[in-house]
């Protein structure tokens, strides 16, 4: 832009340097605030408040414990190869499941994450076992013997050894009394894959982005504790509160 020569009259009538600076700052603020509002609008579609029961649980969803009362339903979206899910099983949910047996309905849903190469095969093993009425025994085998199939030889990183994992899954199937031929057929069945896909789709509707994600009566549990005993106590507190409501 070509510069114009200024004189005393136009200088007095024009805006000062400070004024232009103020306008620039305000304009930038409008852009920034507008951007924030855009992001807020994009997030406004995320679920707010309690999630609908029919999203969190289907009639054929697997349960670890059930209650004749519908007072409290706990739903966990999980990944069988997720190390934190395994830690929750060992330190939070397995004991809770036993202590609240018959008092709550505890539902588990599949939410395999892409960074865990054996998450889907493990979910298939769990779902195939459920078709023979042995979901809970397989669930306990998968988490109870987690290092044997889920971890690499270093004991730290997750494994991608599908052959080793499948051999373990078959050994678990034999140990819990499954029909092995049916188990193998169900592993590859569209019905089993559909149950996994449905869990992932429902989790996304509920705003799940990682595992484990737990809901108590449709409200997402947001742990604040720094240790697993703290988290367990917090979760029990929410369940107890719901039972008394």
């Amino acid at each position: 832009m070509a510069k114009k020569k200024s004189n005393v009259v136009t200088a007095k009538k024009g805006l000062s340097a400070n004024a232009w600076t103020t306008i620039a700052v305000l304009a930038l603020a409008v852009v920034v605030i507008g951007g924030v509002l855009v992001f807020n609008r994009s997030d406004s579609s995320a679920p707010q408040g309690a999630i609908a029961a029919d999203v969190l649980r289907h009639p054929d969803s697997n349960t670890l414990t059930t209650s004749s009362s519908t007072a409290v339903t706990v739903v966990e979206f999980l990944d069988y190869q997720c190390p934190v899910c395994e830690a929750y099983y060992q330190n939070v949910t397995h004991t809770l499941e036993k202590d609240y047996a018959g008092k709550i309905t505890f539902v588990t849903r599949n939410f395999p994450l892409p960074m865990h190469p054996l998450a889907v095969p493990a979910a298939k093993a769990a779902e195939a076992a459920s078709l023979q009425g042995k979901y809970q025994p397989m669930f306990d085998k998968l988490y109870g013997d987690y290092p044997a199939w889920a971890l690499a030889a270093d004991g730290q990183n997750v494994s991608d050894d599908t052959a080793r994992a499948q051999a373990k899954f078959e050994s678990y199937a034999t140990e819990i009394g499954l029909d092995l031929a049916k188990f193998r057929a169900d592993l590859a069945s569209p019905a089993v894959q559909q149950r996994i896909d449905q869990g992932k789709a429902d989790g996304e509707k509920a705003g799940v982005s990682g595992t484990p994600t737990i809901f108590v009566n449709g409200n997402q549990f947001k742990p604040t504790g720094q240790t697993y005993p703290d988290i367990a106590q917090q979760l029990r507190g929410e369940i107890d509160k719901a039972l008394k409501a």
Side-chain angles (χ1 to χ4, degrees), residues 14-29:
L15 294 170
S16 68
N18 287 340
W20 281 114
T21 300
T22 301
I23 291 172
V25 170
L26 290 172
L28 178 61

Side-chain angles (χ1 to χ4, degrees), residues 111-172:
F111 200 83
L113 300 172
M115 74 281 289
H116 298 145
L118 301 179
V120 170
K124 287 183 176 181
E127 292 297 341
S130 76
L131 295 179
Q132 296 190 49
K134 294 291 184 73
Y135 171 74
Q136 187 166 16
M138 181 61 79
F139 178 90
D140 288 335
K141 287 288 186 182
L142 291 172
Y143 279 132
D145 201 31
Y146 177 86
W149 67 269
L151 295 182
D154 61 8
Q156 300 295 323
N157 296 303
V158 294
S159 172
D160 61 358
D161 190 339
T162 304
R164 184 187 69 157
Q166 294 290 9
K168 278 292 180 184
F169 300 157
E170 290 199 4
S171 72
Y172 301 154

Side-chain angles (χ1 to χ4, degrees), residues 39-56 77 111 200-209 213-215 217-222:
F39 282 115
N40 285 343
R41 280 198 301 270
S42 66
D43 290 339
S44 64
S45 60
Q48 301 293 324
I51 306 301
D54 60 354
V55 171
L56 295 178
F77 285 87
F111 200 83
K200 191 68 182 288
D202 288 343
E204 289 172 350
K205 287 180 184 177
V208 175
S209 59
T213 297
I214 297 173
F215 295 84
N217 280 358
N219 295 297
Q220 186 176 340
F221 171 66
K222 297 180 180 179

Side-chain angles (χ1 to χ4, degrees), residues 26-67:
L26 290 172
L28 178 61
V30 169
V31 171
V32 171
I33 293 170
V36 171
L37 291 176
V38 168
F39 282 115
N40 285 343
R41 280 198 301 270
S42 66
D43 290 339
S44 64
S45 60
Q48 301 293 324
I51 306 301
D54 60 354
V55 171
L56 295 178
R57 182 187 183 188
H58 286 224
D60 62 351
S61 294
N62 294 311
T63 58
L64 298 175
T65 179
T66 58
S67 171

